[in-house]
Amino acid sequence: MATYSCDLLIVGGGGAGLRASIAAAEARPDLDVAVVSKVYPMRSHTVAAEGGAAAVIKDTDSLEAHAYDTVSGADWLCDQDVVEAFVNEAPREMVQLEHWGCPWSREPDGSVAVRPFGGMKVSRTWFAADKTGFHMLHSLFQTSLKYKSVKRYDEWFVTRLLVDDGRCAGVVAVEIATGEIHSIMAKAVILCTGGCGKIFPFTTNANIKNGDGMALAYRAGAPLKDMEFVQYHPTGLPATGILITEATRAEGGWLVNKDGYRYLQDYALGTPEPKPVHRTMELGPRDRLSQAFIKEQERGRTLEGPYGHYVNLDIRHIGEAVIDKKLPFVRELCLKYANLDPVHEVIPVRPVVHYIMGGVHTDIHGATPIAGLYAAGEVACVSLNGANRLGSNSLTECLVFGARAGLAAAEFVDGAAPAGAAIEAQARDEEQRLRALMAKTDGTERIADLRSEMQSTMEESAGIYRAGDTLAAGGETLGRLRQHARHLKLEDRSSTFNTEFISALELDYMLELAEVILRSAVERTESRGAHQRIDFPARDDDKFLAHSLAYRADDGSARIEYLPVTITQWPPGARVYGKQ
Amino acid sequence: MSGGAHEPAAGLKLYHPPMSLWWWLERRAYFKIVVRELTSLFVGAFAVVTLLQIRAVGDGPEPYAAFAAMLGSPAFITFSVVAFLAVLFHALTWFPLVPTTIVLRVGEQRVPGNIIAGAHFAGWLIVSVVVAYILLRG
Amino acid sequence: MAETLRLEVSRYRPEEDSEPTLQSYDVLLDALNHVKNEIDGSLTFRWSCRMGVCGSCGMMANGEPKLTCAVPLTDYDPAQPIRIEPLQFFPVVRDLVIDMSSFLEKLSNVKPWIIRDDVEATEAVEFKQTPAELDAYKQFSMCINCMLCYSACPVIGLEPEFSGPAAIALAQRYNLDSRDKGKEERMDVLDAHEGLWGCTYFGECTKVCPKNVDPAGAIQLYKMASATDYLKSLLLPWGSK
């Protein structure tokens, strides 16, 4: 077991991780910064974000308006001090990315163009056609190559955080190419590993999104916050779950049921107009749109195909010129993966798991309760998104809180004491655990079988609408699956690029997180944002204007506590869409 | 692992696929291009012949007559036909590639490639007609 | 959907083999994952986004470099096996996984970032860039680093040091960006035999590019610029700069 060391270690090389690495390298060129990622950074799932990134830049807009949209979109479950910091710093971060070369779409005068987005009452979403995440990630990655103090460990998979006496001092990781187990000692660690959409069967998320960082932090003793809040994006392609961006609706697309009727008007989202109207109809928030789909399905007004129920997204009236200019990727995706041309045909869509509002509990600087451990991006829950994230806030979140965590961690490094012998012992323990797992030959359970059963269980019990009994049933199934997962059948005996071994570790992470999601959902006996309980249909501010915090108990089960929401300027109110 | 420099992980037993000597026969496109590259020898040969011809003119009527006779020999005519076909092939496969090297804009739109390639073919035709006219009018 | 296809997959197990061998599978659609999940968990390949944007899953399919998530198997004759191999002209780590460290090295060598020294002064506001200025480089910014172009380019096979299509296109992407002032710095790197001039213009890189980046065009434009610079420095007393 080789031991490497650095001052600041960032786990994950997506939008948040790269932003954190650059922030730390710029602020403190004397520090050794390292980025360890299970894929090459430009493969990270930030690459798949399409629609845009929100930040106030136009004179018609205000920070207050962005903050209000975010707070009401979150169904008041966000921390308002966090929201204020976010909207304040968002424009500077976006301009910074512009200076780093991000090819933002432009107005004729050369200024940055913005488009409307769901739940936003002013157009403030910056975009690079409909490949915003791709361009942001590549701009960040290419810019990061400039900093020689940033060392990368590409295709290394982190299996454990080394924590002693309440302080994180490094990680153990498998170098995937060789199968070697290494420890990387660090004075501070930032988790930027993204979300865990692959816990669900039907998701926009890439294969790599297994909640690695959440599970690592949870096992190291950090609480996971608001994990019951899973976002369904209303428009995914039925067969594959491939995302059709909200920007289709921002550019004027309509959601219609089997009769060609814009059904959202029946669900308190306003009255249909031919042109898109902010915070109205198709530009409502994602939770409400996905819930409207289920209601529409119950009324028998959706269509049915080989991959279940769906409605149609109609962008034909936008015209080929606008589609090719502003939505070229949507056209490409439809042609390749749905075999239709949206210029001439409607796009079948249905709600699809897209994002988790919950994550590792952090404060406004990205610090977790474990000293020296930070988190930013989707893996974290800094409490910006509350019960429902607004589209185009998450890319900006990666920048704002990636930078914040990078700076805070760089500062922490100075005071950090060197790691003790206990850390080295932990690293050796972890090595032994991994070696035993690699050597195991008597397993009987296929990874793929357990994974798909976990996924279907989650969809059935923790989908768009939930109930106490289905959540409990799901919990039982998960318990059984976790037992079975101790006897995984590993066929790949090679130490070279053993992806099966990595999949086994990822499954282990996901099963743990699935249970946390269910547990958190069971305890929250109210309906708020993306968490809808049919047995408790009302929002309950008296009891639940609070974040859930899931701690891992010694027996491996989740213990839930609550933490009050921070309110500064916007007392809880009704979420009104469709009329302002 | 990397930092500054990127290199393969230490201890990997990488397989380096050998490159066949006949790689250029394995894909039609490679073959076409290698042939086009080879045809430039004939383009060069034409240039050399022309230079020699000019020198023969300079040397006086007798050497030029001998040179002209050589040009008229069956062997040289065979060479000329082959070389002409080669040059033709070169031009026909080259012009369609030209648009990638030239970016022309009219307003916001980039001039489509087939117009640029078409202009080259048209130019070629016009030059050929002029040359033919000069040679054949007497 | 019960159509049966036959895959021939190139396997290379470094512990046992000295070179790749071929194994045949009968599988359904979404073939490689089906094999991995149901038949042989040891089959090794990279993939992630399955929507043609992360660039992980490039492989040779019947001798052609393809982004495997973006090619429907219905494109192939079900009566014939489809031969899947790792991207050619790269060292093979295992099965369908190639070593891409040389590619990363080439990418970072061209200084793919905005070079200018007056950023401080303009920190608070965005640089203006008109839609036409954006269009000038936009196409070259669409590269997903899938490396299909390297597998299509025989020069990479013959001269592994050649910078290659994607790296040069990326350099050109920054050169043509109205916000950048680093053209000369990059020219110093690329105006070398293993830089620009390794390219003999097979043009295959452009044909296989799944994102229409046209690296061949980028390289030829770059050559023109380099040649123009050279001529200027030769003919004009004050040189090219």
Side-chain angles (χ1 to χ4, degrees), chain A residues 471-485:
Chain A
L471 285 166
E476 272 169 41
T477 312
L478 273 185
R480 179 170 55 76
L481 292 176
R482 289 186 72 180
Q483 291 294 325
H484 289 195

Side-chain angles (χ1 to χ4, degrees), chain A residues 414-425:
Chain A
D414 284 330
I423 290 290
E424 284 163 34

Side-chain angles (χ1 to χ4, degrees), chain B residues 51-77:
Chain B
L51 287 174
L52 291 176
Q53 199 170 2
I54 291 167
R55 194 175 73 176
V57 170
D59 287 350
E62 255 173 58
Y64 182 72
F67 191 82
M70 193 272 287
L71 290 182
S73 69
F76 198 88
I77 287 173

Side-chain angles (χ1 to χ4, degrees), chain A residues 236-254:
Chain A
L237 289 179
T240 55
I242 286 173
L243 172 71
I244 299 301
T245 171
E246 197 160 299
T248 50
R249 287 169 277 133
E251 299 298 341
W254 300 326

Side-chain angles (χ1 to χ4, degrees), chain A residues 434-498:
Chain A
L434 293 171
R435 291 216 185 283
L437 207 61
M438 282 175 183
K440 213 164 133 56
T441 52
D442 57 349
T444 50
E445 303 283 340
R446 292 201 73 92
I447 295 174
D449 294 345
L450 294 186
R451 191 169 51 210
S452 58
E453 202 179 341
M454 168 194 69
Q455 291 169 338
S456 53
T457 303
M458 290 304 282
E459 181 75 33
E460 283 157 25
S461 56
I464 296 175
Y465 284 97
R466 299 146 175 199
D469 51 348
T470 48
L471 285 166
E476 272 169 41
T477 312
L478 273 185
R480 179 170 55 76
L481 292 176
R482 289 186 72 180
Q483 291 294 325
H484 289 195
R486 293 187 189 162
H487 308 287
L488 284 184
K489 180 180 175 191
L490 297 179
E491 293 168 320
D492 194 342
R493 311 311 321 170
S494 173
S495 58
T496 309
F497 220 98
N498 189 330

Side-chain angles (χ1 to χ4, degrees), chain A residues 178-209:
Chain A
T178 60
E180 295 286 331
I181 300 164
H182 305 293
S183 57
I184 310 175
M185 299 301 173
K187 292 170 186 156
V189 175
I190 310 177
L191 296 171
C192 301
T193 57
C196 57
K198 289 304 274 188
I199 291 177
F200 288 80
F202 187 65
T203 174
T204 59
N205 284 195
N207 184 45
I208 54 176
K209 292 198 61 187

Side-chain angles (χ1 to χ4, degrees), chain B residues 27 30, chain C residues 55 58-60 64-67 87-90 103 106-107 143-157 162-170 202-216 219:
Chain B
R27 268 174 92 116
Y30 293 170
Chain C
M59 298 169 207
M60 306 297 288
E64 297 284 326
K66 293 285 184 190
L67 206 54
L87 284 180
Q88 67 178 354
F89 310 138
F90 285 97
F103 173 75
K106 289 169 186 176
L107 216 55
C143 171
I144 60 171
N145 298 351
C146 67
M147 302 176 291
L148 299 195
C149 54
Y150 283 68
S151 259
C153 174
V155 181
I156 294 289
F162 173 45
S163 299
I168 303 175
L170 186 60
F202 279 84
E204 287 298 283
C205 49
T206 290
K207 284 188 209 151
V208 302
C209 179
K211 298 289 148 183
N212 304 315
V213 172
D214 190 12
I219 300 175

Side-chain angles (χ1 to χ4, degrees), chain A residues 86-250:
Chain A
F86 169 75
V87 299
N88 266 322
E89 289 166 31
R92 198 182 69 206
E93 280 297 325
M94 298 293 283
V95 168
Q96 174 65 80
L97 200 64
E98 194 278 330
H99 288 178
W100 285 335
C102 191
W104 297 115
S105 294
R106 303 284 178 154
E107 301 289 354
D109 71 351
S111 63
V112 165
V114 290
R115 62 166 40 132
F117 234 68
M120 304 275 193
K121 74 177 151 209
V122 184
S123 298
R124 64 170 69 95
T125 297
W126 302 38
F127 60 101
D130 54 354
K131 283 191 144 186
T132 310
F134 163 80
H135 285 298
M136 282 179 56
L137 182 68
H138 280 255
S139 300
L140 282 167
F141 175 60
Q142 287 155 14
T143 301
S144 79
L145 294 171
K146 181 164 76 169
Y147 299 93
K148 298 300 173 205
S149 64
V150 179
K151 188 185 183 84
R152 289 206 329 276
Y153 298 88
D154 294 329
E155 298 192 321
W156 286 37
F157 183 83
V158 174
T159 67
R160 181 165 178 175
L161 298 178
L162 299 172
V163 176
D164 180 46
D165 200 19
R167 189 173 83 81
C168 182
V171 304
V172 172
V174 179
E175 183 177 16
I176 299 174
T178 60
E180 295 286 331
I181 300 164
H182 305 293
S183 57
I184 310 175
M185 299 301 173
K187 292 170 186 156
V189 175
I190 310 177
L191 296 171
C192 301
T193 57
C196 57
K198 289 304 274 188
I199 291 177
F200 288 80
F202 187 65
T203 174
T204 59
N205 284 195
N207 184 45
I208 54 176
K209 292 198 61 187
N210 315 103
D212 307 351
M214 295 176 190
L216 286 168
Y218 182 59
R219 288 174 183 185
L224 299 181
K225 185 165 59 181
D226 292 341
M227 290 294 283
E228 61 272 41
F229 296 97
V230 175
Q231 178 167 80
Y232 278 75
H233 192 290
T235 58
L237 289 179
T240 55
I242 286 173
L243 172 71
I244 299 301
T245 171
E246 197 160 299
T248 50
R249 287 169 277 133

